[in-house]
Amino acid sequence: MINLVKEKNPMPEQDPMVRNKNFKEVSTGYTEDMAINEAMRCLKCRKKPCTTGCPVRVRIPEFIEKIAEGEFEEAYQIISDTSSLPAICGRVCPQENQCEGVCVQGVKGEPVAIGRLERFAADWHREHFKDEVIEKAEGNGHKVAVVGSGPAGLACAGDLIAKGYEVTVFESLHKEGGVLAYGIPEFRLPKSIVAAEVSKLADKGVKFVNNAVVGMSMTVDELFEDGYEAVFVGTGAGLPQFMNIPGENLLGVYSANEYLTRINLMKAYIPEYDTPIHISKRVAVIGGGNVAMDAARCAKRMGAEEVYIVYRRSMDEIPARKEEIHHAIEEGIKFQLLTNPVAIKGTDKAYVCGLECVEMELGEPDSSGRRRPVEKKGSNFVLDVDAVIMAIGTRLNKLILETTENLEPNKKGGIGADEKTGETSHEGIFAGGDAVTGAATVILAMGAGKNAADSIDKYLESN
Amino acid sequence: MYKIVGKRRLNSTITWLEIEAPLVARKAKPGQFIILRTDEYGERIPLTMAGHNSEKGTIDIIYQAVGKTTLLLDQFEVGDALADVVGPLGKPTEMEGLKRVAVVGGGTGNALAYPIAKGMHDAGIQVDMIAGFQTKDVVILEDEFRAGTTNLYITTDDGTYGEKGFTTDKLKDLIESGNAYDEVVAVGPPIMMKFVCQLTKKYDIKTVVSLTAYMVDGTGMCGGCRVVIGDENKFACVDGPEFDGQLVDWDELIQRNSFYQEQEKEDMSHICRLTGGVRYHD
C-alpha cells in the first residue's frame, strides 16, 4: 500500500520561541506511526535514484521498506551495512542535494523524508539496543593509523576495524568527533549521539589517542616507525579566514570556529564550565553557509536580542541548507542580504560597537555561475552590533604537509589525494575529507573516509 | 590523565609543577608551549614549558596563580592528575647562527625565558641573562639561572636584591659597555617586552619575544590568538609563540589580552568555586 500524500510527514519540533533560548535538540524525531506513514510514501521505483544520490550508497529503498513493515531494527542494519554514522547523517546531511534531491516523489510533490527516516531508524536502534554486545571482527594483524576523529576519520576507522585491522585514531583535541564535537551545535546534533557512535567504535576495538597533534606530538613518518603500515589523514578544513577589513582584532570579533568551539566543545552555555565568552546583545554573523547559521542560532541562544546574518548575495544564492535557513528565520534571526561589511567600529576600550556595511546588487554571473555581487557606491550604513562573527570559510592547515616529506599539496593548498581512492604522493599515506577538498559536508568526508578504507585494504593486501 | 609527579612553591604566588606527559616530553624543544585543562569543567589554557625530561616522560610548567585556571591548578598536589595536556605546540626557539645573546626575563617570565637561555647555552651560545623582579622576596630559581647561563644579572625594582632598576636599565648598561649581542630575547609582561624592544631598536639589535594570547585549540583552528606582526595578522599558536618584537603591535596585544578580564573578575569573586567544595578535584 502506498501513501499518496504529496507532502512529507512534518517533523515534530520545539516551538521556535522556546527553542531559541535552549540548546536542546530542535527536531524531536518521528514517532513509529509517523515513520511508517512516511515510509509508505516510497514508490519503490525501479531506478532507485536515491541510492546513487548518496555518497556512501545506503540502500535506501530497502531500509524504507523495512520501516514501512515495522521492522525497525532490520532497517537500521541495512543502513549500517554502508554507513557507520547513521544517527549523525540523518541529522546533518544535505539530503535536498543528495538522496531526496533525486527522489521521484519530489517531481510533483515533496520527496520522501529519507533523512528523517534514517534518523528514526538509528534513534530507534540506540534506544532499544542499549546493552548491545558488539562483535569484534577477527584481527588480521595489520596496524593502521587514522589522523583526526572527525567524520572522515570515524568512517575510515569503522570500515577498517570491520575488515580486521588494528586501528588507532589520533585526535588533537581532548574529545573525539572533530567538527561533530566542536562545530555542529548541540541543538542540531546532540553530543551524546556523537559519543555513542565513538564508543561503539571503541567497543569494536578502535583505539583513540586524544591530545595528540600529529605533526607536533609525532610526525606521520614516526607513525610508520611505530609500526603503522598505512596512515589515513582526515584533519579537516583548518584555519579560519578573516575579511582583512579594519577592526577585525577588536574585542568581540570571533571566527565562527572559535565562537562555536567555545560553545559546543567547551560548553560556554553551561554555567558550571569555566569557558569565557563575550556576552553580546546584538550580533552580526558574516557569511551564508551552514556554519553561519549555526553561529547565528548559537548567538541567539546565548542571549542576544538581535542577530543578523550579513550576506553579500541574495536568498537565491545562499549556500546553507534550506532547513537551517528556515529554522533560523523561525527563531528570529534577521537576514541582512545583499550587504557586505567594510569595517568594524570599536569603542575607546576597543570593544566592537558597530559594523559598517555597504549595499550590494547582483551583476553578471561569475566563474561559479552565481551572479557577482557589486557594491552600490555611497550606500554605506552602520549596523548597531557589539559582536561580529566571521563565517566566511577556512584556509587549509599546512601542519601535516610541512612535517611530512614527499607529501604533495593539491592546487587548493590541501593534501593532494585522488578523490576516489584517497591515495597521495606518499606511499602508504591516504587522505580525504575537508583536508583535501576544503570545507565541504559531513557526508562527503565520510564517503572519502570509506573510499580510503577500501584503498588501504587493497594496498595492504597487495603488499 | 596526566599525573603530577613534582610540585614546588618558588615564591608566594609562583609554583613549579612536573607533569607526566610522555607524548609531549618526547618532542618538546625550548620555546614551545602546551595547552592544559585541569578537569572536565576547565578552560583550555596555554602555558610555555619551563623544561622537559624526555626519558622520564615529564614536562615542567611554572605558573603564577593569578587567574581562575591557575588558582585551580594551585589546588593540585603530587599524585593528582590533570584532565588534559597537549603539545608540544608552537615553533621552537631559533638558535642557528647565534653566538652571543642577551635573555631578558620579567617576573614569572623568567621561568619561561630560562629554558630558552639554557637551550642556547647548551648549544654553545654565550648567554647573558637579565632576570628582573619587583623585590627580593619574589626572586625565583637563581641557582638554576646561574648554572644555565654564562652571566646572570638580577635586578629588582626596589633595589632589595641584585641591582636596583628595571631590566631595560641593565640591558642598556651592558650594550653601552661594549657587549655586542647578535640577538636579545625578552619574555615577561607585554609592557616590559615593549620597552625592551624600544631600547634595542635604537641599537638595531634583533629582538625575539614570546607572546601569550587567548586561544582554544592551539593548532590554528580557532584564530583567537591573532596578533599583529608588521602589517600582518599572525596566529600566536602556529606562527609563534616567538616573534620579532620590533614588529609587534604591543598596544593591541595588551588590549586583546584584557578581553575576558571583567568576566574573570566576576568569577574570581566566587572564591568558593575555585578553591572549595564542588570544583575541588578528588
Side-chain angles (χ1 to χ4, degrees):
Chain A
M1 193 177 62
I2 287 168
N3 173 359
L4 294 170
V5 177
K6 291 281 174 222
E7 289 82 37
K8 293 176 179 179
N9 277 267
M11 183 63 139
E13 287 169 351
Q14 280 194 73
D15 180 84
M17 289 303 136
V18 172
R19 71 176 191 241
N20 69 9
K21 293 174 192 69
N22 70 48
F23 276 82
K24 283 186 247 163
E25 197 169 13
V26 167
S27 311
T28 48
Y30 277 170
T31 61
E32 293 185 6
D33 287 346
M34 287 176 199
I36 292 172
N37 191 269
E38 182 64 30
M40 283 162 51
R41 293 186 61 231
C42 175
L43 297 172
K44 302 179 187 175
C45 57
R46 209 161 41 88
K47 277 191 162 175
K48 304 177 179 52
C50 50
T51 299
T52 41
C54 173
V56 298
R57 301 281 181 272
V58 169
R59 303 196 306 278
I60 293 165
E62 284 180 47
F63 95 75
I64 290 183
E65 188 168 5
K66 290 296 171 193
I67 292 181
E69 290 165 4
E71 304 286 353
F72 306 135
E73 177 59 14
E74 286 176 37
Y76 170 78
Q77 293 303 340
I78 290 166
I79 304 172
S80 290
D81 268 356
T82 49
S83 168
S84 34
L85 309 165
I88 294 170
C89 293
R91 285 172 166 82
V92 303
C93 268
Q95 288 98 3
E96 67 217 52
N97 305 328
Q98 297 174 357
C99 52
E100 293 183 21
V102 288
C103 173
V104 173
Q105 274 283 31
V107 178
K108 286 186 178 159
E110 287 188 328
V112 176
I114 300 167
R116 294 172 187 176
L117 290 173
E118 180 182 30
R119 168 184 162 159
F120 168 81
D123 287 357
W124 193 93
H125 169 82
R126 203 172 57 257
E127 275 158 37
H128 292 81
F129 288 82
K130 286 198 171 108
D131 302 314
E132 183 186 19
V133 179
I134 303 278
E135 274 178 53
K136 285 189 191 180
E138 202 174 317
N140 64 17
H142 293 284
K143 280 171 73 176
V144 180
V146 171
V147 184
S149 69
L154 292 180
C156 187
D159 280 17
L160 287 170
I161 200 85
K163 294 179 201 288
Y165 290 94
E166 210 179 292
V167 185
T168 305
V169 179
F170 295 90
E171 167 56 48
S172 71
L173 289 168
H174 57 263
K175 208 169 212 97
E176 308 83 3
V179 74
L180 308 172
Y182 72 76
I184 303 176
E186 177 77 16
F187 56 82
R188 213 147 72 71
L189 176 63
K191 299 310 143 208
S192 59
I193 289 171
V194 181
E197 299 288 2
V198 168
S199 90
K200 202 188 297 167
L201 288 177
D203 288 345
K204 288 180 182 168
V206 176
K207 280 188 217 127
F208 288 91
V209 180
N210 294 350
N211 294 326
V213 186
V214 174
M216 298 299 288
S217 311
M218 69 282 281
T219 62
V220 174
D221 292 319
E222 284 166 332
L223 291 173
F224 286 111
E225 286 166 26
D226 285 347
Y228 294 99
E229 295 159 79
V231 177
F232 173 72
V233 181
T235 44
L239 286 57
Q241 275 187 331
F242 291 88
M243 292 186 77
N244 295 319
I245 57 174
E248 275 183 311
N249 287 357
L250 289 166
L251 308 182
V253 182
Y254 284 101
S255 73
N257 272 2
E258 179 182 5
Y259 190 72
L260 290 170
T261 303
R262 285 185 182 275
I263 292 171
N264 300 318
L265 178 76
M266 302 305 295
K267 314 254 178 266
Y269 66 96
I270 303 175
E272 285 73 23
Y273 283 77
D274 287 341
T275 314
I277 195 155
H278 185 52
I279 300 301
S280 320
K281 291 279 169 230
R282 303 169 65 82
V283 180
V285 179
I286 320 296
N290 289 324
V291 173
M293 300 304 138
D294 283 346
R297 296 169 72 194
C298 278
K300 193 83 187 172
R301 283 162 173 78
M302 293 301 288
E305 286 152 18
E306 298 287 357
V307 180
Y308 301 96
I309 289 280
V310 177
Y311 179 59
R312 61 194 182 125
R313 304 181 198 242
S314 75
M315 216 41 140
D316 292 336
E317 291 85 18
I318 203 161
R321 276 175 77 200
K322 276 191 193 125
E323 184 177 290
E324 308 308 330
I325 294 166
H326 169 72
H327 279 154
I329 292 171
E330 277 188 339
E331 290 168 13
I333 309 294
K334 298 196 171 141
F335 283 67
Q336 192 75 46
L337 301 169
L338 290 165
T339 302
N340 204 32
V342 291
I344 304 168
K345 307 283 181 194
T347 65
D348 53 352
K349 287 193 169 152
Y351 281 86
V352 171
C353 67
L355 179 69
E356 185 183 338
C357 301
V358 60
E359 288 175 26
M360 308 293 276
E361 57 196 350
L362 293 178
E364 296 300 306
D366 63 15
S367 58
S368 72
R370 298 183 299 180
R371 291 176 65 192
R372 185 196 300 275
V374 190
E375 259 183 38
K376 277 200 226 167
K377 286 261 179 302
S379 62
N380 294 41
F381 67 101
V382 175
L383 206 54
D384 173 22
V385 293
D386 58 8
V388 174
I389 300 168
M390 293 290 172
I392 54 168
T394 52
R395 295 179 283 144
L396 287 140
N397 194 330
K398 298 263 180 281
L399 185 56
I400 300 246
L401 279 170
E402 281 173 357
T403 54
T404 315
E405 272 181 47
N406 305 321
L407 184 61
E408 301 297 329
N410 60 23
K411 278 181 193 154
K412 292 176 188 167
I415 296 170
D418 185 297
E419 297 216 359
K420 288 216 171 65
T421 64
E423 281 172 298
T424 67
S425 57
H426 186 304
E427 198 189 331
I429 301 180
F430 299 77
D434 287 2
V436 171
T437 58
T441 62
V442 168
I443 189 71
L444 286 173
M446 279 181 55
K450 286 179 74 73
N451 290 344
D454 277 343
S455 313
I456 289 171
D457 186 41
K458 283 190 198 119
Y459 165 73
L460 291 178
E461 249 178 13
S462 66
N463 276 18
Chain B
M1 298 292 267
Y2 300 81
K3 210 163 113 186
I4 292 167
V5 294
K7 178 174 182 174
R8 185 152 62 101
R9 296 261 178 222
L10 301 181
N11 67 28
S12 59
T13 59
I14 299 178
T15 305
W16 166 83
L17 288 182
E18 187 182 11
I19 306 165
E20 268 179 10
L23 272 187
V24 185
R26 190 167 75 156
K27 301 282 281 187
K29 290 198 178 74
Q32 290 185 300
F33 69 98
I34 56 143
I35 284 182
L36 67 77
R37 204 170 64 121
T38 50
D39 58 18
E40 171 59 25
Y41 301 97
E43 214 182 319
R44 290 170 65 100
I45 62 155
L47 286 170
T48 305
M49 277 180 276
H52 66 276
N53 184 326
S54 317
E55 277 157 37
K56 269 174 81 184
T58 58
I59 58 156
D60 304 293
I61 57 164
I62 291 175
Y63 63 88
Q64 186 171 22
V66 285
K68 187 162 51 170
T69 304
T70 45
L71 274 171
L72 268 174
L73 196 55
D74 233 22
Q75 306 299 307
F76 285 69
E77 299 297 339
V78 171
D80 294 338
L82 302 176
D84 301 289
V85 174
V86 59
L89 299 168
K91 295 198 158 81
T93 306
E94 280 178 29
M95 301 182 188
E96 223 178 281
L98 298 176
K99 291 192 174 62
R100 188 131 193 247
V101 173
V103 175
V104 183
T108 322
N110 282 297
L112 316 175
Y114 168 61
I116 299 171
K118 184 174 183 294
M120 287 181 166
H121 191 242
D122 289 349
I125 299 166
Q126 188 183 332
V127 177
D128 290 353
M129 180 168 180
I130 305 166
F133 297 92
Q134 279 174 343
T135 185
K136 184 184 178 187
D137 294 344
V138 297
V139 173
I140 56 169
L141 298 172
E142 184 179 350
D143 294 342
E144 282 86 348
F145 294 168
R146 202 170 297 283
T149 59
T150 317
N151 297 298
L152 174 69
Y153 306 95
I154 291 183
T155 64
T156 50
D157 301 355
D158 61 2
T160 47
Y161 195 69
E163 292 176 50
K164 182 174 161 52
F166 296 124
T167 49
T168 37
D169 301 331
K170 186 67 204 175
L171 181 62
K172 187 165 185 246
D173 281 355
L174 288 171
I175 296 169
E176 297 256 302
S177 58
N179 292 287
Y181 297 115
D182 303 326
E183 184 177 292
V184 170
V185 177
V187 190
I191 194 76
M192 182 205 84
M193 293 192 278
K194 178 182 172 177
F195 285 129
V196 169
C197 292
Q198 278 176 1
L199 176 75
T200 53
K201 190 164 190 178
K202 284 185 210 152
Y203 300 98
D204 198 21
I205 307 172
K206 187 187 173 193
T207 301
V208 172
V209 294
S210 179
L211 304 184
T212 33
Y214 283 111
M215 58 179 75
V216 184
D217 59 292
T219 61
M221 188 198 80
C222 86
C225 63
R226 51 199 190 274
V227 288
V228 175
I229 308 295
D231 299 325
E232 266 182 290
N233 244 345
K234 296 274 186 188
F235 292 171
C237 65
V238 288
D239 299 321
E242 293 179 5
F243 292 101
D244 182 339
Q246 269 139 19
L247 299 178
V248 173
D249 182 337
W250 292 103
D251 296 339
E252 187 186 280
L253 179 88
I254 292 167
Q255 225 155 26
R256 282 187 69 77
N257 282 349
S258 75
F259 190 21
Y260 296 112
Q261 267 169 15
E262 285 301 313
Q263 240 180 75
E264 188 152 320
K265 237 184 261 169
E266 163 72 18
D267 289 334
M268 298 275 282
S269 64
H270 308 293
I271 289 298
C272 57
R273 251 189 74 222
L274 295 179
T275 57
V278 196
R279 289 291 311 278
Y280 194 78
H281 52 92
D282 35 38

